[in-house]
Structure formats: C-alpha cells, structure tokens
C-alpha cells in the first residue's frame, strides 16, 4: 500500500519542470535526427575537410598523403598567404593588439580602421566607406537602415543568401525579377513607380554560376525609372576590370552604380571583413542605424593590417589581377574540349555542371584521391537538379596546376559516366 501511494503521488513542481524539459529535449532530438537523416538520404550532406597548412594553391589536408592542389578557394589573387600581407598583419597585431573589445562607436575605432575605410572608398572611387565584420553583415545592415515601407527593392532571384536575408529584414516593398532578365526587371520597375525610392539590388558576379550581371542594361533601366543601383561585389573585387575594381569597372558603369558592398575575405587577403562604399550621407546613416555595425565588435587590427596591404598591392599594379584572364580561359577551354559543361562566362568561378547531387559528391571525393581539392555543391546551396563542382582559378595557379586539374577531371568523369 505504501509503495502504491508513493507511485501514485503527484510529482513535485520541480520534478514536473525537469520532466517537461526532458520531454521537450527528446522531442527536439527526434525532430533534428529526422531532418539530418533526410539530408543524408538526399546525398546533400556537407562534410568539412581539415586543412593543416596555410591557404594557397598547394595545401595539406588531414587524411591525405602529400601535397594537394586547391581549386576551390576564394583566394583569387593568392594574397591569403602573401608574405607582405602576413607581415602587415603581424605588425598591426603587435602595435594595435588582438582586438578592441568594443563596438566602433564606444571605444572601437582606431586610426587604422579609418585609414582602411578611406583606402576602400578611394579604390572604388566613392565618397566614403564603412567596415563590417563580414559582407554578410554589410548586406544584413544596409536595406533595413536605408529603406522604409514607402520604398521598394527589386532583387535578382539568384542573389546571394545574404542579400536575400538583408532584404527580408527591411520593411520596403519587395519585388523579385527573373535572373538577369531585363524585360522582367523593367516590368517590375514600372510596377514600383508608386513608391518613394526604388533600389535595384544584384550580385555583380553570381557565385554559384560564374555569370556577370548586365550592369549596363540595369543602369540604363535605373536611369529611365529613377532607381538606385546596388551591387554585391564579393566575387569581383580585386580581379574584374582593368584595375580590379569590379564588375562596374569591367562594364564601364562606375559612375552609374550608387552603392557597392564587398568583402575583405576573398581576393583582398582572405581573412575576414566586409564593407559598404557609396555616398557619404548613406555611410553616415549606416553608422547611426545599421544594426550589425552598431552591435558587432570592430574588425581585429591584424585583419585590418592584412586587408590594407592587399589593397596597397592591388593599387600599385594591376599585373596580378590581369594574370587571372589567361588562366581562366585555359581551364575553361580545356574542360570544354574534354566534354564538360562549364557555366558562366570568362569568370574564374568555373562551375562544372553535373546535375545529380551524389555524382558531384563522389566525383569531388575521387578528385581528392588524385590530389585535387574541389567541392561538390548541391541543394539547398544550388537548385535541385543543378548540382555541380565549383572550380575557382587563382592568380597563383600555374599552367601545370591547371592542366593537372583538367586531367584529373577527365579521368574521374569517365569513371563515373559524366563523360563518354
């Protein structure tokens, strides 16, 4: 009787809370495991290979013997491990410390931050610039601060996730136009005439397909319908255009693009950081209202030092940027001759289109066994049925490196039926 009374006695409030917490955690675990299993089942699971060396064209990978050729970094100019860039980072670390332990407006602005912002605006030939922890943060911070419910933003349907997320945060009226479709953009601009401001937002170069936005046509439509033009230049800054200033320089519309967001984490040293550059009044507004800027720590001095030196090297000579052109054409032409379909046009992002997610994954694994580091991309990073291996050419790849990569692709493609 006593035992039965114990078993049937109500739980104490504390034990009830603990029981409910365990039940909620068990439910969460069940939901997560089901979701993870669905990712594995779809063949879209993303594993992280571990690099045990500096970033560069030749790296060492945990579990692989010998040196590996890296063909999937955003290290377009090879500056991630450039000795002068590293030295500048070390000097900034020694002189200015590891970090600021503060956001910019409290006690987180050093002279090196202001100097880098001035250098960025001068490089892009704009009035001013503002630094962020990343370009993702720059994209998250601009639309909400700039646009109100009275305004409209018109976005390419294949814009980067950070642009999409940034636009979601703002209260502007949202229009999405078909990828690089100028007829559809014009129709959307006509529909948006009732709004106060109209902002066309596009990637300058699209990272998954290697294609370049038709900025001349976009700017022409923007002028016709009194709209502003915003471009994300993460996969263009440093190497597109005669002086590496990006797609607006490449296409001759620098004076027609109003706002540029870009990164310090790819061609410009590869460490971290992003920025917005454009009219001074806009930059002043972002310093007052952009939430990622106001609530994130300042860029670490070592990162600032590395990026500043990378810009110095780029502004001293365009030789590094120009070397990309021939190497990109070599890879694209040889892969096409082998029978592969390469997306994009004359961009160092060279997506090898394969279609099936599992095929992209197993081919990438086999490429690593042959000493070539590439990664398969599949849903949700790219649309279903459009899986690919994205190859990225760097200025520090040699012709022999490129030829070795093509030979490995040909062998692996034949093995898995991607080539006849």
């Amino acid at each position: 009787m006593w035992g039965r009374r114990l078993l049937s006695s109500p739980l104490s409030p504390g034990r009830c809370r603990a029981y409910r917490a365990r039940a909620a955690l068990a439910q969460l675990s069940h939901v997560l495991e089901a979701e993870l299993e669905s990712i594995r089942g779809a063949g879209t699971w993303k594993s992280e290979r571990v690099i045990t060396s500096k970033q560069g064209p030749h790296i060492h990978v945990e579990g692989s013997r010998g040196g590996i050729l890296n063909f999937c970094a955003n290290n377009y100019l090879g500056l991630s491990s450039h000795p002068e860039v590293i030295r500048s980072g070390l000097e900034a670390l020694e002189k200015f410390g590891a970090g600021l332990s503060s956001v910019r407006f409290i006690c987180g602005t050093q002279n090196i931050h202001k100097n880098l912002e001035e250098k960025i605006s001068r490089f892009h030939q704009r009035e001013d610039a503002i630094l962020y922890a990343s370009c993702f943060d720059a994209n998250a911070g601009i639309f909400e601060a700039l646009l109100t419910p009275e305004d409209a933003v018109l976005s390419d349907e294949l814009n980067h996730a950070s642009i999409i997320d940034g636009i979601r945060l703002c209260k502007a009226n949202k229009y999405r136009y078909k990828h690089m479709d100028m007829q559809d953009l014009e129709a959307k601009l006509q529909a948006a005439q009732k709004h106060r401001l109209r902002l066309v937002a596009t990637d300058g170069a699209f990272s998954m397909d290697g294609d370049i936005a038709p900025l001349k046509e976009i700017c022409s439509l923007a002028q016709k319908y009194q709209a502003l033009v915003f471009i994300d230049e993460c996969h263009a800054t440093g190497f597109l255009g005669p002086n590496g200033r990006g797609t607006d320089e490449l296409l001759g519309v620098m004076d027609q693009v109003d706002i540029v967001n870009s990164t310090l984490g790819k061609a410009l040293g590869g460490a971290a950081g992003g920025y917005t550059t454009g009219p001074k009044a806009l930059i002043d507004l972002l310093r007052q209202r952009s939430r990622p800027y106001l609530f994130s720590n300042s860029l670490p001095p070592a990162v600032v030092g590395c990026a500043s030196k990378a810009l110095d090297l780029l502004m001293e000579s365009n030789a590094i940027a120009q070397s990309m052109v021939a190497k990109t054409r070599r890879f694209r032409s040889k892969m096409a001759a082998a029978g592969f379909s390469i997306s994009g046009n004359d961009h160092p992002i060279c997506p090898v289109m394969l279609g099936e997610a599992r095929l992209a994954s197993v081919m990438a694994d086999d490429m690593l066994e042959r000493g070539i580091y590439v990664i398969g991309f599949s849903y949700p990073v790219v649309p279903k049925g459009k899986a690919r291996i994205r190859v990225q050419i760097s200025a520090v790849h040699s012709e022999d490196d490129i030829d070795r990569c093509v030979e490995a692709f040909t062998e692996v493609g034949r093995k898995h039926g991607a080539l006849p």
Side-chain angles (χ1 to χ4, degrees):
M1 290 291 293
W2 178 249
R4 283 198 296 273
R5 281 200 301 273
L6 277 177
L7 289 171
S8 61
S9 62
L11 294 173
S12 67
R15 291 178 67 189
C16 280
R17 285 194 295 271
Y19 174 79
R20 292 192 188 104
R22 286 195 297 271
L25 188 59
Q27 184 182 23
L28 172 64
S29 179
H30 176 74
V31 169
L32 294 178
E33 284 303 325
E35 186 66 24
L36 293 172
E37 189 54 41
S38 71
I39 296 172
R40 294 186 188 97
T44 57
W45 185 269
K46 296 161 189 65
S47 300
E48 296 181 0
R49 297 169 179 170
V50 179
I51 297 172
T52 59
S53 62
K54 292 187 289 188
Q55 183 62 277
H58 303 91
I59 58 176
H60 292 277
V61 177
E62 192 174 273
S64 297
R65 290 175 292 180
I68 303 293
L69 276 175
N70 188 2
F71 273 91
C72 65
N74 296 315
N75 186 24
Y76 293 110
L77 300 177
L79 298 180
S80 295
S81 299
H82 192 287
E84 290 186 51
V85 172
I86 292 173
R87 191 178 307 115
S88 182
L90 289 171
E91 289 172 357
L93 181 66
E94 288 287 343
K95 184 174 181 180
F96 293 98
L100 276 299
S101 303
S102 174
V103 299
R104 287 284 298 270
F105 79 93
I106 298 178
C107 59
T109 298
Q110 294 171 315
N111 58 333
I112 55 173
H113 294 96
K114 300 303 291 184
N115 292 341
L116 179 55
E117 287 169 339
E118 187 279 328
K119 195 174 291 185
I120 288 168
S121 62
R122 183 156 40 91
F123 175 70
H124 284 284
Q125 298 180 1
R126 299 311 200 273
E127 292 180 4
D128 203 356
I130 180 174
L131 291 169
Y132 288 88
S134 68
C135 191
F136 204 112
D137 276 356
N139 286 341
I142 188 167
F143 301 105
E144 183 184 26
L146 176 61
L147 302 175
T148 74
E150 297 180 65
D151 306 316
V153 57
L154 304 94
S155 177
D156 188 293
E157 66 180 352
L158 293 188
N159 275 339
H160 190 268
S162 60
I163 300 176
I164 295 169
D165 285 358
I167 289 173
R168 283 173 177 164
L169 291 171
C170 79
K171 295 179 180 178
N173 298 273
K174 302 168 180 69
Y175 297 80
R176 187 173 67 171
Y177 63 92
K178 295 175 185 176
H179 181 49
M180 300 201 307
D181 185 326
M182 295 300 96
Q183 283 188 329
D184 194 38
L185 174 58
E186 182 164 22
K188 298 296 193 300
L189 281 166
Q190 289 170 348
Q193 286 301 291
K194 57 193 174 188
H195 304 297
R196 184 186 65 165
L197 296 178
R198 289 159 295 284
L199 177 68
V200 179
T202 181
D203 277 308
F206 291 84
S207 62
M208 285 299 112
D209 293 289
D211 46 9
I212 295 170
L215 288 185
K216 285 185 178 180
E217 292 81 359
I218 288 173
C219 289
S220 177
L221 286 173
Q223 290 178 358
K224 181 177 179 180
Y225 293 99
Q226 293 184 297
L228 300 163
V229 177
F230 162 98
I231 58 174
D232 178 313
E233 288 285 79
C234 287
H235 291 275
T237 299
F239 57 93
L240 288 188
N243 299 290
R245 290 188 171 93
T247 53
D248 55 348
E249 183 187 45
L250 176 72
L251 299 174
V253 291
M254 288 188 69
D255 60 338
Q256 299 174 55
V257 170
D258 302 288
I259 306 166
V260 175
N261 274 15
S262 195
T263 182
L264 305 172
K266 293 182 171 61
L268 301 183
Y275 57 85
T276 297
T277 186
K280 187 179 186 307
L282 169 65
I283 304 305
D284 287 344
L285 179 69
L286 294 176
R287 292 194 196 280
Q288 302 303 312
R289 290 188 179 170
S290 180
R291 292 166 71 87
Y293 178 82
L294 290 168
F295 297 103
S296 296
N297 266 19
S298 306
L299 271 186
V303 172
V304 175
C306 289
S308 185
K309 176 54 69 173
L311 274 170
D312 288 341
L313 293 172
L314 196 54
M315 288 193 283
E316 286 168 8
S317 170
N318 66 352
I320 304 176
Q322 291 305 305
S323 72
M324 297 281 294
V325 177
K327 292 175 181 180
T328 297
R329 287 177 180 164
R330 183 182 188 90
F331 178 80
R332 283 179 170 272
S333 63
K334 283 180 172 284
M335 286 291 284
F340 286 103
S341 174
I342 309 298
S343 181
N345 183 31
D346 293 334
H347 193 283
I349 291 175
C350 305
V352 183
M353 303 304 293
L354 299 168
E356 185 187 342
R358 282 192 178 85
L359 177 61
S361 179
V362 296
M363 281 186 60
D365 289 342
D366 275 5
M367 289 288 286
L368 185 60
E369 290 182 8
R370 288 163 172 77
I372 310 292
Y373 191 127
V374 289
I375 294 290
F377 286 78
S378 55
Y379 181 82
V381 179
V382 296
K384 287 181 179 179
K386 293 189 177 181
R388 79 281 309 266
I389 291 175
R390 187 179 72 175
V391 175
Q392 287 165 279
I393 306 301
S394 171
V396 288
H397 282 132
S398 69
E399 290 186 353
D400 286 343
D401 293 339
I402 291 169
D403 293 348
R404 264 190 63 194
C405 184
V406 174
E407 289 168 9
F409 259 113
T410 304
E411 290 176 13
V412 171
R414 287 174 179 156
K415 174 183 174 182
H416 292 284
L419 290 179

